[in-house]
Amino acid sequence: MSDTVGPERHARNRFGFRPFRPILAGATLRERLIGCLGALAGITLTGLICGWFFGQGPHIPLIIAPMGASAVLLFAVPASPLAQPWSIIGGNTISAFMGVLAAHFIPDPVLAIGVGVSLAIAAMSLARCLHPPGGAAALTALIGGPSVTSAGFLFPLFPVCVNSVILVALGIAFHKISRRSYPHVAVAMPANPHGTTDLPASIRVGFTPDDVDAALLALHETLDIDRADLDRLLRQVERHALVRLQGKLTCGEVMSRDVVTIGLDGSVARARELLLAHNIRTLPVVDEAGRLAGTLGLRELTLRGAFGLAQAMVEASTARPDQPVVALSACLTDGHTHAVVVTDGDRRVLGIVTQTDLLATLTRLLLAKAFAPPVPDAP
């Protein structure tokens, strides 16, 4: 019998016997607890507000059950396209209207529930507000009981739309207090910093958005993530893989140690003289204690030099000496940053890594790999 563990068995060992794993990529206990607290506040306050405005009685539901599912998305996965304000408000309201419409025109309840949910999916898709709890809102409109039936075409407005609007408003407030981004705004693809039509250097090589679309089409998959977020995630995966595979050289080993700097009390003329005399593009600015305050280049001096050295400098890109140098590839290829200043824990300048340093390092790594002797197969 072979002792080799196959990929299927390895997957079972990794995931099958560990409770609640996998749950969601990137999910942490802290995020789940925040989601629980948000749902507690959101659902409770939605019910209280509706009861305060419209009274409590058997004539109409105070809050509908699909709001619980909406709260799961809103507070547990706020970055999901399915959890955005228009998805929640539009998805629930439109779906409830489709359910009422099906109940009004189709006397057979079994057929009506199927048609209602089907129409809800179609309508949400056309309105670009797909929201899974919308299917439940359509069913509630069909089988919610006498109070829902008596409400008729008012049901999608109250309680469905009112519940949804209140829940979203509370969600926005809660996420702002908890310092989470909501509504979620996908990071836009970076533009070329030189104002040309070429793609930025950081994304010119490697996969393209068309490659992502082709892969999804080949896998027949639809992912609950924004396209721009997916692109950013895959590029971050590439960077982590590069660091893992080629991450032995550190910034401390590669950096230039004889760093040309200027004090905060220096003059603009002296800063320009240093940049030109040493043929450098980034000049670190240090305070009286020798701590890094910012950086300067000829561009900053040209645009803001008339206002003084402190007003012209910009925030410095920094790294630790023990950080893998290949981790700086994203920063040094963004079209703006020409050098990264290596500092200690007190922001004292230890060295500097430039684009030239990174290029030389990556070239060396590639050559070393290309000319390395082949590794013999294990017996």
Side-chain angles (χ1 to χ4, degrees):
M1 181 182 293
S2 173
D3 292 331
T4 303
V5 179
E8 295 85 359
R9 183 178 175 185
H10 176 74
R12 287 197 302 270
N13 288 340
R14 184 177 178 187
F15 297 115
F17 301 105
R18 298 182 65 178
F20 308 113
R21 182 186 178 106
I23 179 171
L24 280 177
T28 63
L29 177 60
R30 177 180 179 276
E31 290 296 310
R32 289 295 149 261
L33 291 176
I34 291 176
C36 293
L37 182 60
L40 170 64
I43 292 296
T44 302
L45 289 175
T46 299
L48 289 174
I49 292 171
C50 288
W52 186 69
F53 272 105
F54 301 100
Q56 301 184 28
H59 57 286
I60 198 165
L62 190 66
I63 186 170
I64 60 169
M67 288 301 110
S70 295
V72 172
L73 290 170
L74 174 60
F75 295 104
V77 282
S80 168
L82 307 179
Q84 300 315 296
W86 172 236
S87 296
I88 295 176
I89 297 171
N92 283 328
T93 305
I94 291 172
S95 297
F97 180 76
M98 291 298 108
V100 172
L101 202 65
H104 186 75
F105 288 103
I106 301 175
D108 184 354
V110 176
L111 180 61
I113 59 176
V115 171
V117 174
S118 177
L119 287 175
I121 296 173
M124 287 189 291
S125 299
L126 290 173
R128 299 181 64 83
C129 58
L130 193 65
H131 186 60
L139 280 178
T140 303
L142 286 156
I143 58 174
S147 61
V148 173
T149 304
S150 62
F153 284 96
L154 289 177
F155 176 73
L157 297 177
F158 178 77
V160 179
C161 184
V162 173
N163 282 175
S164 301
V165 169
I166 294 174
L167 187 64
V168 166
L170 293 170
I172 292 173
F174 178 83
H175 288 307
K176 186 173 183 179
I177 294 171
S178 60
R179 297 182 180 179
R180 302 165 94 199
S181 176
Y182 184 84
H184 178 68
V185 178
V187 177
M189 292 288 287
N192 192 304
H194 307 296
T196 64
T197 57
D198 289 322
L199 291 173
S202 59
I203 62 174
R204 198 176 302 156
V205 179
F207 65 87
T208 67
D210 290 338
D211 295 328
V212 176
D213 289 338
L216 292 173
L217 186 63
L219 294 173
H220 305 288
E221 291 284 355
T222 300
L223 300 182
D224 180 15
I225 183 173
D226 187 274
R227 261 284 310 277
D229 288 336
L230 179 60
D231 184 276
R232 188 162 60 104
L233 171 65
L234 293 176
R235 294 190 187 281
Q236 191 65 36
V237 170
E238 279 189 331
R239 296 184 192 115
H240 281 288
L242 177 63
V243 171
R244 177 175 55 83
L245 296 173
Q246 306 288 356
K248 295 181 180 179
L249 280 175
T250 64
C251 293
E253 296 174 280
V254 173
M255 68 184 185
S256 301
R257 298 174 184 272
D258 185 14
V259 184
V260 179
T261 63
I262 190 171
L264 269 174
D265 56 352
S267 67
V268 170
R270 178 58 178 164
R272 183 177 284 108
E273 180 184 337
L274 289 171
L275 285 165
L276 294 174
H278 293 276
N279 193 26
I280 55 178
R281 304 182 71 177
T282 301
L283 179 64
V285 182
V286 296
D287 61 17
E288 295 179 354
R291 291 186 293 265
L292 181 66
T295 58
L296 282 169
L298 289 176
R299 174 183 172 84
E300 287 75 32
L301 292 178
T302 302
L303 293 177
R304 298 186 295 272
F307 301 102
L309 204 66
Q311 287 71 31
M313 70 179 184
V314 296
E315 185 177 354
S317 297
T318 62
R320 303 182 310 274
D322 59 345
Q323 186 173 341
V325 69
V326 292
L328 307 184
S329 59
C331 177
L332 290 174
T333 57
D334 64 3
H336 296 282
T337 308
H338 303 297
V340 174
V341 184
V342 182
T343 61
D344 61 14
D346 293 326
R347 288 186 64 85
R348 298 183 188 278
V349 178
L350 301 177
I352 194 166
V353 179
T354 66
Q355 291 172 319
T356 303
D357 296 329
L358 178 64
L359 178 61
T361 300
L362 293 178
T363 302
R364 185 176 122 192
L365 290 173
L366 288 173
L367 289 174
K369 187 174 182 180
F371 292 102
V375 179
D377 295 333

